[in-house]
Amino acid sequence: MNLLRGLTVLIATAVWCLTAAADTALRGTGDLGVIIERADGSACIISTTERAILSCVDGLGDLSHASAVFSPDQRYAYIFGRDGGLTKLDLLERKIAKRVIQGGNSIGGAISDDGTLVAVSNYKPGGVKVFDATTLEQIADIPATYGSEGKLSKTVGLVDAPGRRFVFTLYDAGEIWMADFSKPGAPAITKLGTAGKLPYDALITGDGRHYIAGLFGEDGLAHVDLWAEEPVIERILDGYGKDDPAMPVYKMPHLEGWALAGDKFILPAVGHPELLALDAVTFKEAGRVKVHSQPVFAIARPDGRQVWVNFAHPKNDTVQVVDVPSLKVVHEFKPGPAVLHMEFTPRGHEVWVSVRDADRVDIYDARSFEKRGELSLRKPSGIFFAARATRTGL
Amino acid sequence: MPCRMTSLHQLLASVLMMAGLVGPAAAEDPNGARRKALHNMVVQDCGSCHGLTFKGGLGSPLLPDDLEGVDDSTIATIVLDGVPGTPMPPWRGLVSESEALWIARGLKAGVFQ
């Protein structure tokens, strides 16, 4: 008995020493990421190599709609919380490096191409605020004022564009604006025009050329070619839902740069159980895919061959995989209740899936669809890998 | 402190509601498993737009102070039929009328925070 006990202690000590050594050993951060525990205000730092949680950091406030961007060196995550909190999380030290409450209610953010500016999109008081990425000191405040009464608009779809610029959309005003920080001093603001009624989110392609805003209040999307000398807004896919009655939307779809898959954009329809395929050259419809229910995220695997899709409440237990060349659903499975988010490893060999109401994150092989592992987290939502640092618009 | 008063008030409301001592006849209220599912739905799915703490987001804030003086039935109707022209969808079919009233009372009492 004593020998057994001694052996156990010895093994435990050895394991502890190994773990402690791992914590202090030199390491890169390119295979790290952050998973939001939305109900607990906590962000868990994970390793995609080890398929493990390294540490969970508390004290990030209300993370009911949280997102993250990363510093160019991939050491820091900037996490945008619903309560207006902006938290700079150190992935190496596994602790909060800095945190400010920058607004009353925020929805997301972006980091400039040079990594020096972090911009936050606000619901309350609206507009966009821009911070120094090192100190989190405020550098600029861009109120999104519209109409003759000078109302303040909520902003959505805030992205970085090449040349120290940010592009964003005014939810209440239906306009798209650009803020240019390429010259010293106050940013140059360009109002690009009207997108349409109630734009809910937007994306920019990885090359920084195309900005596309989705509309909730109209059947259609708005597109801006930022390579144009004077960028203008064009409506695309107008009237895509006119032949079918719209269903109630229990969760807004999300748009990100991963919508571009090969020669098509694959976009979630609003109020219809469909994906819309858009020809990436002509910007005309290139087909549709009937899917399980209303899509929330349609995320292209990094090679663009397949798109993984999750769905709105109450049919949110399912994931479908769409083959892009044939626009056919080639795989369907049910990870569990409330699949909220999916994130591919940078080269697309695996995909991490958060299953909120099962308190679990599942890891799948992105080609064979076999399950590779699972992690236990409390009400996990957004999954953000540090490799996003290298991608415009993410 | 007002803050502490609010949480005490919420706690009391929550306990009373769980015990079925406030609100309409207990028979109309959702039972244990359904109540748990509804509670989770209100916090997580309503919370997606209104904020997990109901301070608002794309949707309006739904804290007890925001709902003061609004009828239970008015709130229940918004839950059931949505607000046309806005992203607030009708939840009819997913929640019954008595469940919508239970949600309305719960929001006003702050039991979902």
Side-chain angles (χ1 to χ4, degrees), chain A residues 121-169:
Chain A
S121 183
N122 282 312
Y123 278 171
K124 203 160 60 181
V128 169
K129 284 187 181 171
V130 180
F131 298 85
D132 180 299
T134 307
T135 61
L136 298 192
E137 275 167 33
Q138 186 171 311
I139 285 181
D141 183 6
I142 307 168
T145 322
Y146 72 104
S148 52
E149 293 160 32
K151 287 190 196 162
L152 298 174
S153 179
K154 296 181 171 97
T155 55
V156 297
L158 170 65
V159 300
D160 58 295
R164 233 173 172 235
R165 293 178 299 170
F166 296 105
V167 184
F168 54 95
T169 297

Coordinates of all heavy atoms in Angstrom, one line a residue, chain A residues 121-169:
Chain A
S121 N -16.9 49.0 -32.6 CA -18.2 49.4 -33.1 C -19.2 49.4 -32.0 O -19.3 48.4 -31.3 CB -18.5 48.3 -34.2 OG -19.7 48.5 -34.8
N122 N -19.9 50.5 -31.9 CA -20.8 50.6 -30.7 C -22.3 50.7 -31.0 O -22.7 51.3 -32.0 CB -20.4 51.8 -29.9 CG -19.2 51.6 -29.0 OD1 -19.1 50.6 -28.3 ND2 -18.2 52.5 -29.1
Y123 N -23.1 50.0 -30.2 CA -24.6 50.2 -30.3 C -25.0 51.4 -29.4 O -25.9 52.2 -29.8 CB -25.3 49.0 -29.7 CG -25.4 47.8 -30.7 CD1 -25.8 46.6 -30.2 CD2 -25.1 48.0 -32.0 CE1 -25.9 45.5 -31.1 CE2 -25.2 46.9 -32.9 CZ -25.6 45.7 -32.4 OH -25.8 44.7 -33.3
K124 N -24.3 51.6 -28.3 CA -24.6 52.7 -27.4 C -23.3 53.3 -27.0 O -22.5 52.6 -26.5 CB -25.4 52.2 -26.2 CG -26.2 53.3 -25.5 CD -27.3 52.8 -24.7 CE -26.9 51.9 -23.5 NZ -27.9 51.4 -22.7
P125 N -23.0 54.5 -27.3 CA -23.8 55.6 -27.9 C -23.8 55.5 -29.5 O -24.2 56.5 -30.1 CB -23.1 56.8 -27.5 CG -21.6 56.4 -27.4 CD -21.6 55.0 -27.0
G126 N -23.4 54.4 -30.1 CA -23.3 54.4 -31.5 C -22.0 54.8 -32.0 O -21.1 55.2 -31.1
G127 N -21.7 54.8 -33.3 CA -20.5 55.2 -33.8 C -19.3 54.2 -33.6 O -19.5 53.1 -33.2
V128 N -18.1 54.8 -33.8 CA -16.9 53.9 -33.8 C -15.9 54.7 -32.9 O -15.7 55.9 -33.1 CB -16.3 53.6 -35.2 CG1 -14.9 53.0 -35.1 CG2 -17.3 52.7 -36.0
K129 N -15.2 54.0 -32.0 CA -14.1 54.6 -31.3 C -12.8 53.8 -31.6 O -12.9 52.6 -31.9 CB -14.4 54.5 -29.8 CG -15.4 55.5 -29.3 CD -15.5 55.5 -27.8 CE -16.5 56.5 -27.3 NZ -16.8 56.4 -25.9
V130 N -11.7 54.6 -31.7 CA -10.5 54.0 -32.1 C -9.4 54.2 -31.0 O -9.3 55.3 -30.4 CB -10.0 54.6 -33.4 CG1 -8.7 54.0 -33.9 CG2 -11.1 54.4 -34.5
F131 N -8.7 53.1 -30.7 CA -7.8 53.1 -29.6 C -6.3 52.7 -30.0 O -6.2 52.0 -31.0 CB -8.2 52.1 -28.5 CG -9.6 52.4 -28.0 CD1 -10.7 52.0 -28.6 CD2 -9.7 53.2 -26.8 CE1 -12.0 52.4 -28.2 CE2 -10.9 53.5 -26.3 CZ -12.1 53.1 -27.0
D132 N -5.4 53.2 -29.3 CA -4.0 52.8 -29.4 C -3.9 51.3 -29.0 O -4.2 51.0 -27.9 CB -3.1 53.7 -28.6 CG -1.6 53.3 -28.7 OD1 -1.2 52.2 -28.4 OD2 -0.9 54.2 -29.1
A133 N -3.3 50.5 -29.9 CA -3.3 49.1 -29.6 C -2.4 48.7 -28.5 O -2.6 47.7 -27.8 CB -2.9 48.3 -30.9
T134 N -1.4 49.5 -28.2 CA -0.5 49.2 -27.1 C -1.1 49.6 -25.8 O -1.1 48.8 -24.8 CB 0.8 50.0 -27.3 OG1 1.3 49.7 -28.6 CG2 1.9 49.6 -26.3
T135 N -1.6 50.9 -25.7 CA -2.0 51.4 -24.4 C -3.5 51.4 -24.2 O -4.0 51.6 -23.0 CB -1.6 52.9 -24.3 OG1 -2.3 53.6 -25.3 CG2 -0.1 53.1 -24.5
L136 N -4.3 51.1 -25.2 CA -5.8 51.2 -25.2 C -6.3 52.6 -24.9 O -7.4 52.8 -24.5 CB -6.4 50.2 -24.3 CG -6.2 48.7 -24.6 CD1 -7.1 47.9 -23.7 CD2 -6.4 48.4 -26.0
E137 N -5.4 53.6 -25.1 CA -5.9 55.0 -25.0 C -6.6 55.4 -26.2 O -6.3 55.0 -27.3 CB -4.7 56.0 -24.8 CG -4.2 56.1 -23.4 CD -2.9 56.7 -23.3 OE1 -2.6 57.6 -24.1 OE2 -2.1 56.3 -22.4
Q138 N -7.7 56.2 -26.0 CA -8.6 56.6 -27.1 C -7.8 57.5 -28.0 O -7.2 58.5 -27.6 CB -9.9 57.2 -26.6 CG -10.8 57.5 -27.7 CD -12.2 57.9 -27.2 OE1 -12.8 57.2 -26.4 NE2 -12.7 58.9 -27.8
I139 N -7.9 57.3 -29.3 CA -7.3 58.1 -30.3 C -8.3 58.9 -31.1 O -8.1 60.0 -31.5 CB -6.4 57.2 -31.3 CG1 -5.2 56.8 -30.5 CG2 -6.1 57.9 -32.6 CD1 -4.2 55.9 -31.4
A140 N -9.4 58.3 -31.4 CA -10.5 59.0 -32.2 C -11.8 58.5 -31.8 O -12.0 57.4 -31.4 CB -10.2 58.7 -33.7
D141 N -12.8 59.4 -31.9 CA -14.2 59.1 -31.6 C -15.0 59.5 -32.9 O -14.9 60.7 -33.3 CB -14.7 59.9 -30.4 CG -16.1 59.5 -30.0 OD1 -16.7 58.6 -30.7 OD2 -16.7 60.2 -29.1
I142 N -15.6 58.6 -33.5 CA -16.3 58.9 -34.8 C -17.8 58.7 -34.5 O -18.3 57.6 -34.6 CB -15.9 58.0 -35.9 CG1 -14.3 58.0 -36.0 CG2 -16.5 58.4 -37.2 CD1 -13.8 57.0 -36.9
P143 N -18.6 59.7 -34.2 CA -20.0 59.6 -34.0 C -20.7 59.3 -35.3 O -20.3 59.9 -36.3 CB -20.5 60.9 -33.4 CG -19.3 61.8 -33.3 CD -18.1 61.1 -34.0
A144 N -21.6 58.4 -35.3 CA -22.3 58.1 -36.6 C -23.6 58.8 -36.6 O -24.7 58.3 -36.4 CB -22.5 56.6 -36.7
T145 N -23.5 60.1 -36.9 CA -24.6 61.1 -36.9 C -25.3 61.0 -38.2 O -24.7 61.0 -39.3 CB -24.1 62.5 -36.6 OG1 -23.1 62.4 -35.7 CG2 -25.2 63.4 -36.1
Y146 N -26.6 61.0 -38.2 CA -27.4 61.0 -39.4 C -28.7 61.8 -39.3 O -29.2 62.0 -38.2 CB -27.7 59.6 -39.9 CG -28.7 58.8 -39.1 CD1 -30.0 58.6 -39.6 CD2 -28.4 58.3 -37.8 CE1 -30.9 57.9 -38.8 CE2 -29.3 57.7 -37.1 CZ -30.6 57.5 -37.6 OH -31.5 56.8 -36.8
G147 N -29.3 62.1 -40.4 CA -30.6 62.8 -40.4 C -30.5 64.2 -40.0 O -29.5 64.7 -39.5
S148 N -31.6 65.0 -40.2 CA -31.6 66.4 -39.9 C -31.6 66.6 -38.4 O -31.1 67.7 -37.9 CB -32.9 67.0 -40.5 OG -34.0 66.3 -40.1
E149 N -32.0 65.6 -37.6 CA -32.0 65.8 -36.1 C -30.7 65.4 -35.5 O -30.6 65.4 -34.2 CB -33.2 65.0 -35.5 CG -34.5 65.5 -35.9 CD -35.6 64.5 -35.6 OE1 -35.5 63.7 -34.7 OE2 -36.6 64.5 -36.4
G150 N -29.8 64.9 -36.3 CA -28.5 64.5 -35.8 C -28.5 63.3 -34.8 O -27.9 63.2 -33.8
K151 N -29.4 62.3 -35.2 CA -29.4 61.1 -34.4 C -28.1 60.3 -34.5 O -27.4 60.4 -35.5 CB -30.6 60.2 -34.9 CG -32.0 60.8 -34.6 CD -33.0 59.7 -35.0 CE -34.4 60.2 -35.0 NZ -35.2 59.3 -35.8
L152 N -27.9 59.5 -33.5 CA -26.7 58.6 -33.5 C -27.1 57.2 -33.9 O -28.0 56.6 -33.4 CB -26.1 58.6 -32.1 CG -25.6 60.0 -31.6 CD1 -25.2 59.9 -30.1 CD2 -24.5 60.5 -32.4
S153 N -26.3 56.7 -34.9 CA -26.6 55.3 -35.4 C -25.8 54.3 -34.7 O -24.6 54.5 -34.4 CB -26.4 55.3 -36.9 OG -26.7 54.0 -37.4
K154 N -26.4 53.1 -34.4 CA -25.6 51.9 -34.1 C -24.7 51.6 -35.3 O -25.1 51.9 -36.4 CB -26.5 50.7 -33.8 CG -27.5 50.9 -32.7 CD -28.3 49.6 -32.6 CE -29.1 49.5 -31.3 NZ -30.5 49.9 -31.5
T155 N -23.6 51.1 -35.1 CA -22.7 50.7 -36.2 C -22.5 49.2 -36.2 O -22.4 48.5 -35.1 CB -21.3 51.4 -36.1 OG1 -20.7 51.2 -34.9 CG2 -21.5 52.9 -36.4
V156 N -22.4 48.6 -37.3 CA -22.1 47.1 -37.5 C -21.1 46.9 -38.6 O -20.7 47.9 -39.3 CB -23.4 46.4 -37.9 CG1 -24.5 46.5 -36.8 CG2 -24.0 46.9 -39.2
G157 N -20.7 45.7 -38.8 CA -19.8 45.3 -39.9 C -18.6 46.1 -40.0 O -18.1 46.5 -41.1
L158 N -17.9 46.4 -38.8 CA -16.7 47.2 -38.8 C -15.5 46.2 -39.2 O -15.3 45.2 -38.6 CB -16.5 47.7 -37.4 CG -15.1 48.3 -37.1 CD1 -14.9 49.6 -37.9 CD2 -15.0 48.7 -35.6
V159 N -14.8 46.6 -40.2 CA -13.6 45.8 -40.7 C -12.4 46.7 -40.9 O -12.6 47.9 -41.1 CB -14.0 45.1 -42.0 CG1 -15.1 44.1 -41.8 CG2 -14.2 46.0 -43.2
D160 N -11.3 46.1 -41.0 CA -10.1 46.8 -41.4 C -9.9 46.7 -42.9 O -10.2 45.7 -43.5 CB -8.8 46.2 -40.7 CG -8.7 44.7 -41.1 OD1 -9.6 43.9 -40.7 OD2 -7.7 44.4 -41.7
A161 N -9.4 47.8 -43.5 CA -9.1 47.8 -44.9 C -7.7 48.2 -45.1 O -7.1 48.9 -44.2 CB -10.0 48.7 -45.7
P162 N -7.0 47.7 -46.1 CA -5.6 48.1 -46.3 C -5.4 49.6 -46.3 O -6.2 50.3 -46.7 CB -5.2 47.5 -47.6 CG -6.2 46.4 -47.8 CD -7.5 46.8 -47.2
G163 N -4.2 50.0 -45.8 CA -3.9 51.4 -45.7 C -4.4 52.1 -44.5 O -4.8 53.3 -44.6
R164 N -4.4 51.4 -43.4 CA -4.8 52.0 -42.1 C -6.2 52.6 -42.2 O -6.5 53.8 -41.8 CB -3.8 53.1 -41.7 CG -3.3 52.9 -40.3 CD -2.2 53.9 -39.9 NE -1.9 53.7 -38.5 CZ -1.8 54.8 -37.7 NH1 -2.1 56.0 -38.1 NH2 -1.5 54.5 -36.4
R165 N -7.1 51.9 -42.8 CA -8.5 52.3 -42.9 C -9.4 51.3 -42.3 O -9.1 50.2 -42.1 CB -8.9 52.4 -44.4 CG -8.1 53.5 -45.2 CD -8.5 53.5 -46.6 NE -8.2 52.3 -47.3 CZ -8.6 52.0 -48.5 NH1 -9.3 52.8 -49.2 NH2 -8.3 50.8 -49.1
F166 N -10.6 51.8 -41.9 CA -11.7 51.0 -41.4 C -12.9 51.3 -42.2 O -13.2 52.5 -42.5 CB -11.9 51.3 -39.9 CG -10.8 50.9 -39.0 CD1 -10.0 51.9 -38.4 CD2 -10.5 49.6 -38.7 CE1 -8.9 51.6 -37.6 CE2 -9.5 49.3 -37.8 CZ -8.7 50.3 -37.3
V167 N -13.7 50.3 -42.5 CA -15.0 50.5 -43.1 C -16.1 49.9 -42.2 O -15.9 48.9 -41.5 CB -15.0 49.7 -44.5 CG1 -16.3 50.0 -45.2 CG2 -13.8 50.1 -45.3
F168 N -17.2 50.6 -42.1 CA -18.3 50.2 -41.2 C -19.6 50.7 -41.8 O -19.7 51.5 -42.7 CB -18.0 50.7 -39.8 CG -17.8 52.2 -39.6 CD1 -18.9 53.0 -39.3 CD2 -16.6 52.7 -39.8 CE1 -18.7 54.4 -39.2 CE2 -16.4 54.1 -39.7 CZ -17.5 54.9 -39.4
T169 N -20.7 50.1 -41.2 CA -22.0 50.3 -41.7 C -22.9 50.8 -40.6 O -22.8 50.4 -39.4 CB -22.6 49.0 -42.3 OG1 -21.8 48.6 -43.4 CG2 -24.0 49.2 -42.7

